Amino acid sequence: MRRPLTLAAIAIPLIAAFFAACGGSGSETTQGAGAASSSGSGGAGGAGNGGEGLGGDIFGDSGVGQLVSIDVTPKDLVIEVVNGQIPPPITYKATGLTNSGSVVDVVGSWTYDRGDIGNIVPANGAFTASGLLGGTGTVTFEADGVKGSTTATVKLRYLDDSQMIDPSIKQQFPTAAEADPALSLLYPYDKTVFPRGLLGPTIQWNGGNAGDVYHIHIKSPAFEYETWRTVPPPSRFDFPKLPDDIWRKLTDSTNGDVQVDIARFDGTKAYVAKTQTWKIAPANLAGTIYYWEVNTGSVVRIKPGDLGPEAFLTPPPGVGCVACHSVSKDGTRLVASFHGGYSPWGTFDTATGTSLFNTNASSGFQAISPNGSHVLWRHWNDGAFNGTGFLSLSTYNSDVELAQLNPGGGFPSHPAWSGDGQKIAFSMRTDGNGLDFTQSTLWVTDVNLAVPSFSNTKQIVTNDAGRPTVTFPTFSPDSKWIAFERSTMARSRGALAEIWLTNTDGSVVIPLDNTNGMNHIEAEQTTTNYEPTFNPFSLGGYFWLVIVSERKYGNTLLDTNPNTRRKQLWVTAIDANPVPGQDPSHPAFWLPGQGLDNQNMRGEWAKSPCKQLGEGCNAGFDCCDGFCKPDAQSGALVCSDQAQGCSKLGEACMSSANCCDPDAKCIGGFCASDGPK
């Protein structure tokens, strides 16, 4: 039974008696249980000699006993912010329990560990949602070392009835019982994993009429969006950006599953909703994708979240195209070929686009080292197949051969460097030429730049009659896995191709069925996937892979003719801890911002040009020094040096021991989650 006692009524007289008995001066003052003395060495709650904290038996012989726990109410509160309107503050209360079973009032300090979601007044426990995003945090009350806590969830809820749909129609959706015979959701695909920081996807579906009304309902534990509207065919819905960016609010408020329901009213009745589940990874996509716009013959680049691509390398006068490019993983340099035909190569500074070196040596496809110091080239080998060939290793600013990769028995082609700089993966072709070949297998070799050489060169993946071309390898951020293309031929136009995954010794080989669209799109569309490239960072528990695909895009791109269908960039999430025998990939999404009117291919993913000390950042990998910290004055995140302490997720590391999170791993030089939760 609760004792009707307060600290002011109990603690102060007892403390005074304590001081009298112990010869104290009585000059100390208190502020209730948990308050430290203002002077002297024996005040209640003080840390001085002879005094006991609140956890001690400061209540003497009163029978109240020692404080052992604190209870915080209300418990596990969910606060809704509807259409951006912040509700009045909620005041939390703390009560203490002593070892004698007495319940007493306590005085201490309140904290909330998610300042982006809400804030709490330390003195009185008044909690107010920020309205910026939803999520769950922990409310904690502490009195002299004894703590009590509970959760507080802020849920953002948006009700959008801007089309003023008849209430009698809206009322039919919750009670609908009949399955929709016509509605077909096309894009995104069920089970897609999205990162944060992107432009929102365009939801696309077929099966409705011009006057049909749709109920679109999207929800996660900390976010909910509902709208009723007509969406005439071809039916497409973009997440509103005003007055709030709904997709940004959804993704920033969600870590995990999102349920997406779309239900239709056909003028007579409402049908049961078609449902999908998406997953939001708790990280923004980092880096820059450099890709070839075939129509313009140029290399352009786009950062995930950009509204459109940025021109980077355009053909100079007399040059037909700039293509067959490779970017250093640190994002400092790019190597590319020119003209077509014999394809001489050159290197460029990615920060400025400045040409660093041009050569007249025939090449084609090159690979540049992770730090941009060296280039592997000479894919073309004078164009004609004569049974054997090699690749030459040079510095980025010279075509002087330092070492030669010459396994024998074919031509090394389509090379790719591992992020740790220690391995090269390549295709070994045994027919055709640098552009057009059908017979190839996948190989790896160790590379040593200190003493330029190659060693332990071996085949790891063979081909087969159905897909005799095994090529376009790319290393995962941890350099332990290689994604590659299995195809009917090296040139993509009209080829039947899928994306696969292997470890570096070839003992595990996995088809990435979800990436290829298996069970999500028509069967003939699942063999239109080419040229994978991994993001150099592990983000949100996933590796991220950009591919080229000629598949249909919802009801926006519908051409299926192999001679004219559109090449576009798609991105897929790969679990960062693949398990042998299991597909670690997830359905791909179309990369927002790229031009729909262009043929886009050969996406090369690299770190964005880094930022200097004091410049704004989102994570450590944005910064040249690898650390992103709050500014002491403004609190804004800026690039900084790491004077001491551990590395947060996304910050530079030498080993996993450098990471603050004990479950994090050092992957590609940055602390990262070890896998999706």
Side-chain angles (χ1 to χ4, degrees), residues 169-177 215 226 228 263 270-272:
I169 295 176
K170 293 165 58 178
Q171 291 168 4
Q172 294 191 43
F173 288 108
T175 58
H215 178 215
E226 246 181 315
W228 301 263
Y271 297 98
V272 174

Side-chain angles (χ1 to χ4, degrees), residues 211-574:
D212 290 355
V213 175
Y214 297 91
H215 178 215
I216 302 172
H217 192 191
I218 300 167
K219 58 184 177 181
S220 71
F223 183 90
E224 188 169 4
Y225 173 81
E226 246 181 315
T227 187
W228 301 263
R229 58 183 58 229
T230 58
V231 188
S235 298
R236 301 168 190 160
F237 173 76
D238 289 311
F239 288 84
K241 297 187 183 304
L242 296 173
D244 287 330
D245 187 332
I246 296 298
W247 176 253
R248 179 69 180 270
K249 295 284 189 180
L250 165 64
T251 54
D252 285 353
S253 300
T254 304
N255 177 6
D257 287 348
V258 174
Q259 182 175 316
V260 182
D261 297 332
I262 300 181
R264 184 172 66 99
F265 174 80
D266 66 1
T268 301
K269 68 172 69 171
Y271 297 98
V272 174
K274 295 293 178 74
T275 298
Q276 290 188 345
T277 300
W278 307 338
K279 188 180 290 290
I280 306 300
N284 288 7
L285 278 189
T288 298
I289 299 174
Y290 295 76
Y291 64 94
W292 188 33
E293 281 188 342
V294 180
N295 304 39
T296 64
S298 303
V299 174
V300 300
R301 60 186 179 186
I302 188 170
K303 296 177 182 177
D306 284 355
L307 297 176
E310 172 193 5
F312 180 64
L313 289 181
T314 57
V319 175
C321 67
V322 181
C324 302
H325 58 285
S326 171
V327 188
S328 61
K329 292 301 181 184
D330 69 358
T332 59
R333 294 180 183 136
L334 176 146
V335 60
S337 297
F338 305 93
H339 296 298
Y342 78 108
S343 296
W345 62 277
T347 54
F348 297 84
D349 180 277
T350 56
T352 63
T354 303
S355 174
L356 301 174
F357 177 71
N358 284 318
T359 176
N360 199 40
S362 176
S363 181
F365 290 91
Q366 302 78 222
I368 191 167
S369 64
N371 65 357
S373 64
H374 289 72
V375 174
L376 199 59
W377 58 280
R378 203 189 289 275
H379 181 178
W380 250 234
N381 238 46
D382 300 325
F385 175 73
N386 59 13
T388 188
F390 59 90
L391 292 173
S392 296
L393 177 68
S394 301
T395 60
Y396 76 94
N397 56 357
S398 170
D399 58 5
V400 174
E401 185 177 88
L402 303 177
Q404 191 176 99
L405 177 58
N406 187 2
F411 278 75
S413 305
H414 297 166
W417 226 294
S418 64
D420 61 13
Q422 297 179 12
K423 292 184 182 295
I424 303 287
F426 59 96
S427 172
M428 180 71 87
R429 66 178 176 91
T430 54
D431 74 347
N433 58 52
L435 274 178
D436 296 291
F437 60 91
T438 60
Q439 297 290 329
S440 63
T441 52
L442 186 63
W443 291 56
V444 296
T445 186
D446 294 338
V447 57
N448 185 343
L449 296 181
V451 181
S453 58
F454 301 95
S455 61
N456 300 319
T457 305
K458 59 185 178 181
Q459 177 182 299
I460 59 169
V461 177
T462 188
N463 57 8
D464 56 48
R467 300 287 185 270
T469 313
V470 179
T471 191
F472 288 115
T474 177
F475 282 89
S476 61
D478 61 0
S479 299
K480 295 179 179 179
W481 297 88
I482 300 171
F484 63 95
E485 174 188 323
R486 278 191 184 273
S487 184
T488 52
M489 60 182 178
R491 196 187 287 266
S492 59
R493 178 60 69 203
L496 304 180
E498 302 130 353
I499 309 301
W500 286 57
L501 188 75
T502 181
N503 57 357
T504 55
D505 66 6
S507 61
V508 177
V509 183
I510 307 170
L512 298 182
D513 288 341
N514 285 318
T515 293
N516 294 318
M518 196 75 68
N519 301 318
H520 298 285
I521 56 179
E522 300 98 315
E524 64 271 14
Q525 296 283 296
T526 65
T527 57
T528 63
N529 304 294
Y530 317 94
E531 302 175 357
T533 304
F534 272 112
N535 186 310
F537 307 110
S538 177
L539 302 165
Y542 299 93
F543 302 150
W544 300 88
L545 191 70
V546 61
I547 66 172
V548 176
S549 186
E550 294 178 358
R551 70 181 73 184
K552 292 191 291 187
Y553 168 42
N555 51 32
T556 300
L557 297 178
L558 298 174
D559 187 1
T560 58
N561 184 333
N563 296 313
T564 56
R565 63 194 183 195
R566 202 66 52 84
K567 297 177 185 292
Q568 295 281 282
L569 301 181
W570 292 67
V571 176
T572 177
I574 312 290

